[in-house]
Amino acid sequence: MRVLIVDDHRIVASGCRALFADDPDIAILDAPDAESGERIFIDEHPEICVLDINLPTVSGFELARRILARDASARIIMFSMNDDPIFAARAIEIGAKGYVAKTGDPNDLVEAVREVGKGGTYLPPAIARSIAFAGPAYARSPLSKLTAREMEILRLLSAGKSLSEIAWLVHSSYKTVANTSSIIRQKLGVRTAPELVRLALESGVA
């Protein structure tokens, strides 16, 4: 079973290789960004894709969208420093089969790959509990109002990207991105660029 790890931190990719080094049934492929990850997916057709959310250009959410657009049956595990249940919920909504926090037990990733490889789904118990019992805290979070695509555009806006740059990065039209930007500001009650950056940083999007 070929597992594609898309993460821009080489030490993380090396650590993932080490986790599966003793398993002869798993071969690890790796890529440092969404663009090369997408090319490897097209060329190699790995059985599982483990995608970091915070990639250098577009995020793992955007890469997941592109992969699933090419192959709706693709098995994706999102891999993130953020254990906020909103990120896990959005990953599931876009079609990921699993979500693993880098801050958790390394065996969570091993279990996720094995379970998703068998056709199942996987959430570490702690994240599953967080989603189940998030309640009012989830509703109070600004991110609960945003879709995964809106979170992606918020991240790029907070990084100082222009609407034209964002449209090119997410393979969308300028008009669509401009409309989405307006919707994000309305949902979040934000008017200025500094406010937008601050909110993105506080919520862990940026």
Side-chain angles (χ1 to χ4, degrees):
M1 181 168 64
R2 290 163 302 170
V3 178
L4 170 61
I5 309 289
V6 184
D7 195 298
D8 60 315
H9 295 99
R10 307 312 298 162
I11 194 168
V12 173
S14 296
C16 290
R17 286 186 180 276
L19 276 176
F20 297 100
D22 295 330
D23 191 335
D25 296 323
I26 292 180
I28 300 294
L29 309 171
D30 65 85
D33 53 49
E35 291 73 22
S36 55
E38 185 177 9
R39 286 195 299 272
I40 291 174
F41 179 79
I42 293 168
D43 294 340
E44 302 292 340
H45 305 289
E47 283 73 22
I48 294 177
C49 299
V50 178
L51 312 180
D52 183 23
I53 291 180
N54 293 317
L55 294 172
T57 51
V58 295
S59 74
F61 282 142
E62 172 65 16
L63 177 55
R65 185 191 68 79
R66 294 180 188 179
I67 287 173
L68 289 166
R70 291 181 176 277
D71 181 359
S73 66
R75 289 177 284 185
I76 293 172
I77 298 168
M78 301 305 296
F79 195 35
S80 175
M81 284 297 294
N82 201 318
D83 59 2
D84 188 323
I86 290 175
F87 285 81
R90 291 294 176 269
I92 294 166
E93 287 171 9
I94 65 173
K97 302 299 183 184
Y99 187 97
V100 175
K102 294 180 182 179
T103 53
D105 188 328
N107 285 322
D108 287 344
L109 182 59
V110 176
E111 290 298 317
V113 167
R114 288 175 178 165
E115 191 61 35
V116 173
K118 293 187 291 187
T121 57
Y122 183 84
L123 284 175
I127 292 179
R129 286 194 297 270
S130 294
I131 293 174
F133 297 105
Y138 184 99
R140 285 195 300 269
S141 171
L143 296 186
S144 67
K145 304 173 184 178
L146 304 182
T147 65
R149 171 46 74 92
E150 288 166 351
M151 286 170 63
E152 172 73 358
I153 290 176
L154 170 60
R155 187 178 79 93
L156 293 169
L157 285 169
S158 68
K161 301 295 185 184
S162 69
L163 296 180
S164 296
E165 288 175 307
I166 295 171
W168 182 79
L169 285 168
V170 302
H171 300 174
S172 189
S173 70
Y174 177 91
K175 182 178 180 181
T176 297
V177 171
N179 288 341
T180 303
S181 174
S182 296
I183 290 169
I184 291 169
R185 291 175 186 272
Q186 289 170 11
K187 284 184 176 182
L188 300 179
V190 171
R191 293 184 178 180
T192 68
E195 286 181 301
L196 198 68
V197 172
R198 179 182 57 78
L199 190 149
L201 289 169
E202 289 176 350
S203 59
V205 172

